[in-house]
């Protein structure tokens, strides 16, 4: 099958969140199964061309834009059998991935530039697979004005996070040549790219089975639950995998000592090295909690903040790496100042440091309010780090509570979104940690889990077949 991905972020070129990890590893897994896969991504200003060997020029096209045209070029590279196409043009590319005042327009144009490129290629795709709001308008384009040019390619739209829908004024539609007819729940004069993609895709998917159920409810549906309910039969949930070649403590060059199930000594060395580097008290028996991710409410930062001091009172340490809302950054700065030697805060994102934190930590905290899939818990498993999570979305699908299931548990979880149940899960985790035999067994169990892409990539292939069938039937 020929499959054409498009996404705003693709690792290792441009990464803000988990979307980049998926768009940077699922195509490779599909290619390994024998499919022909391409990925289109804007050539963001943050992308280091020299480092990634991206040619200065690529094939160029003149893409319709409002009543005129704009020049877009498409330099590309090959990575592990996947053609990665960088979409470059003055009306598309900005310094950063997100946050420019014209994001709505430039991402709409990105979608059109992808449609033009696919329509002009001699190898037209069988399936066009768009991810999140940034690429969403590609779906109604392929289903509408580009249907003929693309010879009826099937479309799949994947939701990585329904909280972001990319709403803007409807005049963006004129600019990219899409009909104005509203899709519920768009208000007059408003455009909702995610709603349009959901309404017109052959199949809609999301990144875990649980989240696929949750988004049909008012609590998680972000206003699109009724529209999603009309697509219930074509709604798939496929849990993400991770790149087990990148996240492997036996070969990871970012961590100071390597380890594996056969010889775990390196993990303790990683812990001591991180404690030293971050100015924490040094001791291999001190329970160490890692937190990596955005300090925003989605990630549960509002329930984690009030229990931080209590975690430290159990004798544990906390290492935090991430950036977020200024309000929470300020609170955590204050906490770090008050708990020098036990709480370390690094504001920023650094992939190498993240891997050192996964390796050094005993436990990984993810008390998310909602979590479409979550990758941190899967990476933690690889590094023998036990996740403490709220049982929601992909976290519910991948983490089993070790007190509820002594023989098969893989972490600690709680249900109600509140500080007290989180604190309770943390206390249970620390208790288990202090029981050496139990902890060793738990750690070994999580390291044996297989969250490589293999199984999920096969599910994607089944979904693409279903999308093609739906298209033929239509
Ligand atoms: C988004 C979601 C996260 C998911 C990732 C990749 O970042 O918030 O849960 O793992 O996308 O699909």
């Amino acid at each position: 099958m020929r499959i054409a991905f498009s996404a705003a972020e693709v690792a290792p070129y441009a990464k803000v969140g988990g979307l980049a990890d998926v768009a940077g590893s699922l195509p490779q897994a599909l290619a390994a199964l024998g499919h022909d896969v391409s990925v289109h991504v804007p050539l963001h200003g943050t992308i280091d061309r020299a480092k990634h060997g991206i040619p200065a020029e690529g094939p160029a096209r003149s893409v319709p834009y409002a009543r005129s045209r704009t020049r877009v070029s498409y330099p590309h590279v090959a990575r592990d059998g996947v053609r990665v196409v960088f979409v470059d043009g003055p009306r598309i590319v900005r310094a950063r991935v997100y946050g420019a005042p014209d994001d709505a327009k430039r991402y709409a144009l990105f979608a059109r530039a992808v449609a033009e490129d696919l329509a002009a290629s001699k190898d037209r795709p069988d399936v066009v697979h768009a991810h999140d709001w940034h690429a969403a308008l590609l779906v109604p384009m392929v289903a509408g004005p580009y249907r003929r040019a693309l010879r009826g390619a099937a479309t799949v739209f994947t939701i990585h996070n329904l909280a972001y829908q990319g709403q803007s004024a409807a005049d963006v539609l004129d600019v990219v040549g899409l009909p104005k007819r509203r899709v519920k729940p768009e208000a007059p004069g408003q455009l909702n790219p995610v709603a349009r993609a959901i309404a017109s895709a052959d199949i809609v998917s999301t990144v875990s089975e649980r989240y696929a159920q949750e988004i049909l409810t008012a609590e998680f549906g972000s206003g699109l639950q009724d529209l999603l309910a009309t697509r219930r039969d074509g709604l798939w949930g496929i849990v993400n995998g991770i790149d087990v070649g990148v996240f492997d403590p036996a070969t990871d060059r970012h961590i100071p000592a390597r380890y594996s199930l056969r010889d775990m000594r390196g993990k303790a060395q990683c812990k001591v090295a991180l404690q030293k580097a971050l100015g924490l008290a040094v001791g291999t028996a001190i329970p160490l909690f890692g937190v990596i991710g955005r300090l925003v409410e989605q990630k549960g930062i509002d329930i984690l903040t009030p229990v931080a001091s209590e975690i430290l009172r159990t004798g544990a340490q906390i290492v935090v790496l991430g950036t977020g809302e200024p309000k929470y950054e300020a609170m955590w700065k204050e906490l770090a100042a008050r708990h020098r030697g036990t709480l370390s805060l690094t504001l920023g994102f650094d992939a190498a440091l993240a891997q050192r934190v996964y390796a050094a930590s005993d436990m990984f905290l993810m008390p998310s309010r909602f979590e479409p899939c979550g990758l941190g818990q899967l990476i933690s498993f690889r590094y023998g780090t036990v996740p403490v999570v709220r049982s929601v979305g992909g976290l519910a699908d991948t983490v089993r509570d070790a007190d509820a299931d002594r023989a098969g548990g893989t972490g600690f979880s709680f249900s109600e979104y509140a500080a007290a149940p989180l604190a309770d899960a943390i206390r249970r985790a620390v208790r288990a940690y202090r029981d050496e035999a139990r902890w060793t067994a738990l750690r070994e169990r999580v390291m044996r889990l297989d969250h490589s892409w293999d199984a999920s990539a096969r599910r994607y292939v089944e979904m693409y077949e279903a999308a093609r069938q739906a298209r033929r039937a239509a």
Side-chain angles (χ1 to χ4, degrees):
M1 249 184 293
R2 281 206 188 91
I3 305 148
F5 273 61
S6 54
E9 329 170 12
V10 177
Y13 312 101
K15 172 168 158 127
V16 178
L19 170 61
D21 294 293
V22 174
S25 57
L26 170 57
Q28 281 71 15
L30 292 164
L33 293 176
H35 301 286
D36 180 345
V37 194
S38 66
V39 186
H40 282 78
V41 59
L43 185 55
H44 304 291
T46 47
I47 295 179
D48 186 338
R49 285 189 137 168
K51 179 175 160 197
H52 298 295
I54 302 168
E57 269 301 312
R61 299 181 202 297
S62 156
V63 173
Y65 186 71
R67 256 170 252 117
S68 86
R69 303 183 79 87
T70 183
R71 187 177 182 278
V72 177
S73 82
Y74 303 83
H76 60 87
V77 299
R79 188 172 154 260
D80 298 334
V82 172
R83 182 183 165 91
V84 184
V85 184
F86 298 91
V87 182
D88 187 18
R91 292 191 188 277
I92 295 173
V93 166
R94 298 290 172 266
R96 289 179 304 139
V97 178
Y98 308 120
D102 61 347
D103 274 3
K105 246 185 214 166
R106 69 193 188 89
Y107 275 113
L109 178 59
F110 164 66
R112 187 169 204 173
V114 175
E116 288 277 324
D117 195 38
L118 296 176
S121 108
K122 59 176 181 350
D123 303 321
R124 288 194 195 93
D126 300 304
V127 179
V128 173
H129 189 172
H131 299 260
D132 271 357
W133 79 260
H134 330 94
L137 290 178
L138 183 56
V139 177
M141 285 177 194
V142 175
Y146 287 88
R147 167 146 288 159
R148 281 223 181 157
L150 284 168
R151 302 220 176 107
T155 53
V156 173
F157 178 61
T158 294
I159 298 165
H160 294 262
N161 192 337
L162 195 56
Y164 301 95
Q165 297 174 10
Q167 289 104 325
S168 74
D171 53 7
V172 170
L173 291 164
D174 296 331
V175 175
V176 295
L178 278 170
K180 275 222 160 147
R181 197 155 52 87
R182 265 158 52 207
V183 163
K184 267 191 199 158
E186 283 174 337
Q190 191 207 29
L191 161 65
N192 184 326
V194 167
R196 291 201 176 224
I198 291 170
S200 59
D202 291 310
I203 281 186
V204 176
S205 86
T206 186
V207 288
S208 67
E209 282 179 32
R210 178 70 71 100
Y211 192 61
Q213 295 302 312
E214 287 171 345
I215 57 179
L216 294 169
T217 67
E219 186 185 354
F220 296 99
S222 301
L224 298 186
Q225 60 275 12
D226 294 341
L227 175 63
L228 282 160
T230 67
R231 304 302 320 268
R232 182 177 253 137
D233 294 337
L235 181 60
W236 287 53
I238 304 178
V239 71
N240 288 330
I242 53 169
D243 186 329
V244 293
V246 172
F247 301 111
D248 181 0
T251 56
D252 188 339
R253 276 179 292 117
H254 295 304
I255 64 178
R258 272 146 293 281
Y259 59 93
S260 65
L261 268 172
R262 239 175 292 144
D263 182 354
M264 288 295 291
R265 280 170 302 178
K267 186 162 174 73
Q269 291 166 22
C270 287
K271 183 171 177 177
V272 168
L274 190 76
Q275 287 169 325
K276 282 188 182 150
L278 299 178
L280 298 175
V282 173
T284 53
I286 303 171
L288 178 63
F289 285 90
V291 178
I292 300 176
R294 286 167 300 135
L295 309 180
V296 297
E297 282 182 21
Q298 179 195 340
K299 299 294 174 184
I301 197 71
D302 51 330
I303 59 171
L304 184 58
T305 308
V307 303
S309 307
E310 201 180 320
I311 301 175
L312 300 173
R313 245 178 279 129
T314 66
Q317 296 175 335
I318 310 177
V319 171
V320 182
L321 169 62
T323 56
E325 284 167 36
K327 172 173 104 181
Y328 292 111
E329 288 193 358
M331 285 180 178
W332 281 80
K333 268 191 206 156
E334 208 254 317
L335 278 170
R338 226 181 323 133
H339 298 285
R340 244 185 229 119
T342 51
L343 194 167
S344 152
L345 172 68
T346 306
L347 291 174
F349 192 77
D350 172 342
L353 178 57
Q355 279 167 243
R356 298 215 295 277
V357 174
Y358 283 117
S361 302
D362 300 297
M363 282 149 292
F364 189 76
L365 286 168
M366 258 178 118
S368 304
R369 180 185 284 277
F370 66 93
E371 198 62 74
C373 178
L375 301 172
Q377 80 279 21
L378 307 181
I379 300 171
S380 295
F381 288 152
R382 281 291 276 172
Y383 286 86
T385 301
V386 176
V388 178
V389 306
R390 176 159 180 247
S391 198
V392 71
L395 297 171
D397 285 351
T398 57
V399 179
R400 198 186 271 267
D401 188 90
D403 280 333
D405 179 355
R406 281 266 173 169
T410 56
F412 294 87
S413 63
F414 63 100
S415 299
E416 191 205 341
Y417 187 76
L422 165 61
D424 176 65
I426 288 169
R427 275 192 298 270
R428 292 191 292 114
V430 172
R431 207 174 305 132
Y433 176 78
R434 298 217 154 106
D435 176 344
E436 208 184 310
R438 187 179 172 202
W439 195 257
T440 304
L442 178 55
R443 206 170 58 186
E444 287 181 359
R445 188 176 315 129
V446 304
M447 287 180 82
R448 282 206 187 87
L449 297 170
D450 179 4
H451 283 285
S452 63
W453 268 111
D454 202 54
S456 292
R458 287 173 203 279
R459 288 274 293 151
Y460 271 94
V461 173
E462 283 172 36
M463 180 173 75
Y464 296 144
E465 298 286 9
R468 294 178 75 187
Q469 239 169 49
R471 178 92 311 274
R472 280 193 290 266

